[in-house]
């Protein structure tokens, strides 16, 4: 993986039926950085995730990965979505193999079994998706994002439905991904996990960035910032 990648988001706006989901969002991330997008339900976190990864057509602005619009380089992006959507009649292995065939022209199939073993899904590899628990489906979505050595990893609420052991493995994988030059963008309600995993914190409020903090310059914890911004109405320091 190259260690000089950069994600540039400039004046990103996404509207739905004339109503803004996100408005005027701008920031940049370089190799080795991980940003957590934080905010209450309806703040625009998932809208931002889908727009950044190129799955949702933007209304205004630009999203570039290494100077290329993200909708044109999806093979470089791993996306774990919060709302799961699988072919229920396919097996676990068939689904991951199909992803490699479509997204990577048949490459990276050798990564499937190691990830299934790491996240304790190998014994379920021949089981149909319809028979998986929610937690198993969540891990399936995570593996789909990790396959193919992406340069940008976008994880929408990655800890939802995943047990503690796999949350620890995920943290380890993200740290290794960053050390290898990857860029991480996550949305999360779990503030302590975000605090331990990310280098930057973007607070969304009504579809706009209401706070942008580097971990190295934080003078308080994320919970205090969250309370000031969303609960008490104070202006965060």
């Amino acid at each position: 993986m190259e260690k000089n990648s950069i994600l540039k988001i400039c004046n990103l706006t996404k509207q739905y039926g004339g109503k803004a989901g996100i408005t005027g969002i701008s920031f940049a991330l370089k190799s080795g950085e991980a940003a957590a997008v934080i905010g209450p339900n309806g703040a625009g976190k998932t809208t931002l995730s889908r727009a950044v990864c190129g799955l949702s057509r933007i209304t205004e602005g630009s999203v570039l990965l290494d100077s290329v619009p993200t909708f044109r380089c999806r093979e470089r992006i791993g996306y774990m979505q919060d709302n799961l959507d699988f072919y229920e009649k396919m097996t676990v292995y068939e689904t991951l193999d199909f992803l490699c065939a479509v997204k990577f022209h048949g490459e990276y199939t050798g990564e499937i079994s190691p990830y299934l073993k790491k996240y304790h899904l190998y014994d379920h590899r021949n089981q149909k998706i319809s028979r998986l628990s929610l937690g198993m489906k969540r891990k399936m979505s995570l593996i789909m994002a990790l396959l193919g050595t992406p340069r940008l990893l976008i994880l929408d609420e990655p800890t939802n439905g995943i047990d503690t052991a796999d949350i620890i493995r995920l943290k380890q994988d993200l740290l290794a991904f960053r050390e290898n030059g990857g860029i991480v963008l996550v949305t999360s309600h779990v503030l302590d996990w975000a605090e331990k995993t990310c280098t930057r914190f973007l607070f969304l409020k009504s579809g706009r960035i209401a706070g942008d903090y580097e971990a190295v310059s934080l003078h308080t914890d994320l919970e205090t910032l969250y309370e000031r911004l969303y609960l008490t109405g104070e202006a965060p320091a």
Side-chain angles (χ1 to χ4, degrees):
M1 183 188 298
E2 297 182 11
K3 294 193 175 184
N4 59 350
S5 292
I6 186 167
L7 173 69
K8 289 185 178 180
I9 297 171
C10 183
N11 195 36
L12 179 59
T13 298
K14 171 64 180 178
Q15 295 180 337
Y16 295 97
K19 296 182 179 180
I22 51 175
T23 304
I25 292 180
S26 299
F27 63 91
L29 296 171
K30 62 181 184 296
S31 290
E33 290 189 317
V37 181
I38 298 168
N41 292 337
K45 301 187 299 299
T46 295
T47 298
L48 175 60
S49 296
R50 291 182 59 81
V52 170
C53 73
L55 287 180
S56 178
R57 181 175 294 182
I58 63 177
T59 305
E60 186 177 336
S62 62
V63 184
L64 305 177
L65 178 61
D66 299 333
S67 301
V68 179
T70 51
F71 70 87
R72 292 182 178 171
C73 59
R74 291 174 186 162
E75 73 282 355
R76 302 179 187 176
I77 302 170
Y79 177 48
M80 178 186 183
Q81 58 183 341
D82 188 29
N83 297 318
L84 306 175
D85 187 16
F86 296 112
Y87 293 107
E88 296 287 311
K89 293 184 179 180
M90 293 177 70
T91 68
V92 168
Y93 193 93
E94 285 172 343
T95 300
L96 297 174
D97 186 63
F98 177 73
L99 173 70
C100 288
V102 172
K103 187 175 181 180
F104 305 117
H105 308 289
E107 296 186 37
Y108 302 109
T109 55
E111 295 182 1
I112 296 175
S113 290
Y115 274 125
L116 289 175
K117 291 175 181 178
K118 175 181 281 191
Y119 286 97
H120 293 154
L121 284 177
Y122 188 75
D123 290 343
H124 303 278
R125 64 190 181 281
N126 296 318
Q127 190 168 322
K128 289 186 177 181
I129 299 296
S130 60
R131 300 187 62 186
L132 297 182
S133 68
L134 174 61
M136 290 179 180
K137 289 181 179 180
R138 293 289 296 162
K139 290 191 288 185
M140 275 282 296
S141 185
L142 172 60
I143 292 171
M144 292 172 78
L146 293 170
L147 284 172
T149 317
R151 293 185 184 180
L152 170 62
L153 196 56
I154 302 174
L155 308 177
D156 194 0
E157 300 293 347
T159 58
N160 280 0
I162 296 180
D163 63 26
T164 302
D166 288 318
I167 289 174
I168 294 172
R169 291 185 185 92
L170 171 59
K171 179 182 175 182
Q172 294 169 344
D173 277 342
L174 291 186
L175 292 176
F177 181 77
R178 286 172 46 202
E179 288 175 359
N180 286 327
I183 300 169
V184 180
L185 184 69
V186 302
T187 70
S188 182
H189 288 293
V190 186
L191 300 182
D192 58 344
W193 181 85
E195 207 160 27
K196 294 175 182 177
T197 309
C198 297
T199 60
R200 187 169 172 186
F201 310 102
L202 304 169
F203 288 81
L204 286 190
K205 191 172 186 179
S206 301
R208 297 177 181 271
I209 293 180
D212 184 350
Y213 303 91
E214 298 281 352
V216 294
S217 61
L218 272 181
H219 298 297
T220 185
D221 57 82
L222 294 184
E223 184 175 329
T224 299
L225 285 174
Y226 192 98
E227 288 178 351
R228 290 175 179 172
L229 192 59
Y230 302 109
L231 302 182
T232 65
E234 299 177 32

